[in-house]
Amino acid sequence: MFLSSRHPVLASAVLAIALAALSAVAGTTVADLFEGDPYQSHPWPDMRREFLGRDARTVFDERVQVKGPAFAEDPMNVPITVSVRDLPGIERIVVLVDRNPIRKVLEYQPVSALPSVSFRFKLEQASPVRAAVRTADGVWHIGGTWVESAGGGCTVPGSTRKDGSWSQTLGLVSGRVFEATPVPGTEEVATGSRLRLKIMHPMDTGLVGGIPAFYVNRLSVRDTQDRELLRLQTFEPVSENPVFSFDFPAKPAGQLRIVGTDNNGNRIDARLE
């Protein structure tokens, strides 16, 4: 039986039915085959072992919210927001995409920031997009969303690579801190803030002929006393000239310092008022 890759939801449903019939004979359940995955994605069991650990304890958790478009109009710039509520002891957040050729997108350690991050990434085909949140007890809490796409986001060059302008802006950082505003019609006191950063970089995946992988791999945000506020590890699927948004429980005082590197050893070092 042939299942078109252009209809991944239909294909997954048909495969799930077939697997259910087989599992009835074998005395197993479909939930066992997919390890409880609500998307019944075949790559998930191997992804869990590869990125979270062979013996990792995982639970699908509605408190881990992943928001993205129903359809990715621009597969090279798919907006995603990950936020976690009422889950104590968060140590790190890992974002994974099942059907991308490079599945790991980023790893975020909030340190003293809130457990939320917004960014854009490249999507090769329709896929579940997941956030795995590790808490201090060693459990990974999994949330996700399904994004449809015409595909091709990982295998075409970015605009600055096409026109050659990337070399003139490489490593430049711009950003701004926005103070939280009260919700209209309420007496809520606004105490938080949001940091939005843009780093100029081509973020090449290495999947375009003649262009090797070239991407920002580490970022750290520090305060005026050089204390680390958050730590971010990024990978090839993050979009060209990436923009990140981070939330804080209170507005960071004074000047912020942004430091990082790319996989070629180029350094990023900027200060924001």
Side-chain angles (χ1 to χ4, degrees), residues 19-210:
L19 286 168
L22 290 172
S23 66
V25 176
T28 61
T29 65
V30 174
D32 292 333
L33 293 171
F34 294 106
E35 299 184 353
D37 177 24
Y39 299 104
Q40 297 190 350
S41 170
H42 290 281
W44 169 247
D46 288 334
M47 290 171 58
R48 181 189 63 76
R49 287 186 285 272
E50 179 180 356
F51 298 110
L52 308 183
R54 180 167 296 275
D55 299 320
R57 292 180 293 160
T58 59
V59 58
F60 294 95
D61 195 329
E62 293 182 354
R63 292 173 292 183
V64 179
Q65 296 289 312
V66 182
K67 296 182 180 179
F71 180 83
E73 295 182 3
D74 180 0
M76 296 186 69
N77 290 282
V78 182
I80 289 291
T81 296
V82 177
S83 59
V84 188
R85 294 182 179 273
D86 303 320
L87 187 59
I90 294 172
E91 295 180 340
R92 66 182 60 190
I93 299 172
V94 176
V95 178
L96 304 169
V97 181
D98 293 34
R99 298 178 182 270
N100 258 12
I102 303 170
R103 290 171 173 163
K104 191 171 184 179
V105 180
L106 60 78
E107 183 169 332
Y108 175 47
Q109 293 174 261
V111 188
S112 62
L114 295 175
S116 65
V117 58
S118 298
F119 60 95
R120 292 176 181 265
F121 79 103
K122 310 179 193 86
L123 182 63
E124 187 63 17
Q125 60 180 304
S127 176
V129 180
R130 306 179 192 266
V133 179
R134 180 180 169 120
T135 47
D137 58 5
V139 176
W140 288 95
H141 302 258
I142 317 296
T145 190
W146 180 277
V147 180
E148 284 285 347
S149 175
C154 295
T155 51
V156 294
S159 58
T160 60
R161 179 62 73 178
K162 289 178 181 177
D163 62 23
S165 62
W166 67 270
S167 61
Q168 301 168 22
T169 59
L170 183 69
L172 294 181
V173 177
S174 58
R176 184 178 174 186
V177 176
F178 299 86
E179 292 190 53
T181 56
V183 177
T186 73
E187 298 180 357
E188 225 176 274
V189 177
T191 58
S193 64
R194 169 165 292 185
L195 169 64
R196 183 168 295 166
L197 287 178
K198 182 175 184 178
I199 298 100
M200 302 301 290
H201 202 284
M203 300 298 289
D204 299 310
T205 61
L207 302 176
V208 179

Side-chain angles (χ1 to χ4, degrees), residues 215-226:
Y215 57 96
V216 175
N217 57 4
R218 294 185 184 277
L219 285 174
S220 174
V221 176
R222 301 174 178 273
D223 65 11
T224 52
Q225 298 176 327
D226 205 36

